[in-house]
């Protein structure tokens, strides 16, 4: 397993930014980390990269614990933080040289810098000052620095924010290119981003994981189902997770629930109600795509 996050919570003072988050990412996967602003995406990424500690729970990268092996982990991870902090007064090549020195690349430094310049399409810009570059080229510099030490895992926090449509396509292509060899986790609040780059999507809201699904169902245009159910009596909502085929659920209040699944599970809901002695007052099915589900789960 490339990234393992187990029951991770993070408190900033009294504010809970992450609430018992668990997921795993396999080697070579490109996973989109999707959620509205403030959902906890950056916080999770900073914890995975060892920049801030979690309040509780376990995080491992390639079998190493972020709590005890954070230096080793930094060597295995390439990280493009949100807002891409760069030294604007430095020249592109000078900056890459500086980052390569931090990773102690030694003799392979010059070759590696040349490879990164080539991969990220910085050939014509390599002798320019970073301050003079467009936002798209600055992102390329950010990705080049994240890759310079040939990490196995790449963590990109909102890599395409602020790019124009052409730059967007170029950076997405670059991410896909890089993703052929590496594990990539990228955060975004843009749905299309995930559709364009990722094989799998994790959706977070208010510090909790609200969905984990394969993106294939979108490209196949296979739609997920949402069933709205109203029960006659109150019961502990956690019981709903016993329904066969359930993906997720949300309480709509007054014993009403919105239940998400990949298939039609009305029969399973009915069987669940019978097994728990619950009476169903109403049940409606709707077909929804990822965008609807995102909206449904994160508002
Ligand atoms: P996202 O990346 O999804 O926009 P963040 O991880 O940045 O979300 O933030 C999650 C929550 O934690 C937000 O409510 C944010 O205000 C809060 N938060 C983030 N960083 C800090 C910090 N350093 N101190 C206090 N609160 C923070």
């Amino acid at each position: 397993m490339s990234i393992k996050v187990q029951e991770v919570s993070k408190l900033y003072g009294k504010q809970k930014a992450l609430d018992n988050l668990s997921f795993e990412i396999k080697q070579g996967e490109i996973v989109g980390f999707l959620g509205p602003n403030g959902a906890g995406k950056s916080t999770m990424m900073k914890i995975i990269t060892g920049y801030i500690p979690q309040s509780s729970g376990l995080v491992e990268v390639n079998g190493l614990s972020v709590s005890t092996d954070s230096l080793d982990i930094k060597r295995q991870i390439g990280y493009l933080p949100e807002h891409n902090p760069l030294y604007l007064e430095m020249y592109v090549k000078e900056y890459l040289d500086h980052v390569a020195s931090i990773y102690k690349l030694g003799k392979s430094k010059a070759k590696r810098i040349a490879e990164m310049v080539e991969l990220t399409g910085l050939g014509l810009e390599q002798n320019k000052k970073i301050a003079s570059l467009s936002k798209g080229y600055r992102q390329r510099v950010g990705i080049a620095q994240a890759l310079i030490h040939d990490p196995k895992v790449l963590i990109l926090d909102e890599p395409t924010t602020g790019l124009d449509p052409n730059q967007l396509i170029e950076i997405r292509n670059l991410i896909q290119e890089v993703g052929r060899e590496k594990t990539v986790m990228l955060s975004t609040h843009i749905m299309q981003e995930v559709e364009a780059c990722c094989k799998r999507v994790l959706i977070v809201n208010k510090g909790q994981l609200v969905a984990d699904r394969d993106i294939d169902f979108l490209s196949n245009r296979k739609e997920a189902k949402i069933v709205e159910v109203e029960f006659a009596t109150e019961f502990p909502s956690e019981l709903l997770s016993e329904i066969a085929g359930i993906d997720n659920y949300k309480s709509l209040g007054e014993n009403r629930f919105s239940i998400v699944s990949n298939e039609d599970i009305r029969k399973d809901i009915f069987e669940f109600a019978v097994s728990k002695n619950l009476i169903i007052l109403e049940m409606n099915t709707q077909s929804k795509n990822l965008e609807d589900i995102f909206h449904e789960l994160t508002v």
Side-chain angles (χ1 to χ4, degrees), residues 12-13 15-18 35-44 46 82 157-158 187 204:
Y12 290 112
Q15 176 171 4
K16 207 168 212 182
L18 296 177
N37 284 330
K41 304 183 295 297
S42 293
T43 300
M44 189 69 250
K46 284 180 198 158
E82 200 183 5
D157 197 352
E158 308 253 352
S187 77
V204 274

Side-chain angles (χ1 to χ4, degrees), residues 134-146:
S134 67
K135 175 100 171 106
Y137 277 101
R138 287 187 195 184
Q139 285 305 88
R140 289 172 197 234
V141 176
I143 293 175
Q145 68 76 26

Side-chain angles (χ1 to χ4, degrees), residues 4 6 12 14 106 113 136 151 167 184 188 203 208 210 215 290:
K4 184 172 172 183
Q6 216 173 57
Y12 290 112
K14 282 188 181 156
I113 292 171
Q167 296 167 336
V184 182
T188 176
I203 303 179
Q208 293 182 329
V210 291
I215 216 77
L290 185 64

Side-chain angles (χ1 to χ4, degrees), residues 147-254:
L147 285 169
I148 198 118
H149 54 302
D150 197 18
K152 295 195 179 87
V153 177
L154 197 58
I155 306 281
L156 308 172
D157 197 352
E158 308 253 352
T160 59
T161 304
L163 300 186
D164 71 33
N166 289 335
Q167 296 167 336
L168 202 75
I169 292 170
E170 286 167 12
I171 296 293
R172 280 179 187 164
N173 288 343
L174 180 57
I175 293 169
Q176 278 173 325
E177 171 82 25
V178 170
R180 284 197 205 137
E181 289 176 19
K182 304 195 183 292
T183 306
V184 182
M185 180 176 183
L186 76 93
S187 77
T188 176
H189 54 273
I190 310 165
M191 192 70 50
Q192 291 81 354
E193 192 90 340
V194 169
E195 290 178 36
C197 300
C198 305
K199 301 261 186 305
R200 187 177 145 209
V201 58
L202 301 170
I203 303 179
V204 274
N205 189 39
K206 298 184 184 122
Q208 293 182 329
L209 192 70
V210 291
D212 175 354
R213 48 175 65 238
D214 207 287
I215 216 77
D216 278 348
F217 91 106
L218 258 189
S219 46
N220 297 339
R221 298 230 160 263
K222 192 171 136 194
E223 289 179 324
K225 302 272 186 294
I226 295 197
V227 185
E228 283 187 13
V229 197
E230 183 178 352
F231 295 93
T233 44
E234 212 170 305
F235 64 98
S237 59
E238 307 86 76
L239 289 179
L240 290 170
S241 47
E242 292 177 21
I243 297 172
I246 190 170
D247 204 20
N248 227 306
Y249 66 87
K250 187 178 158 187
S251 171
L252 304 173
E254 294 177 354

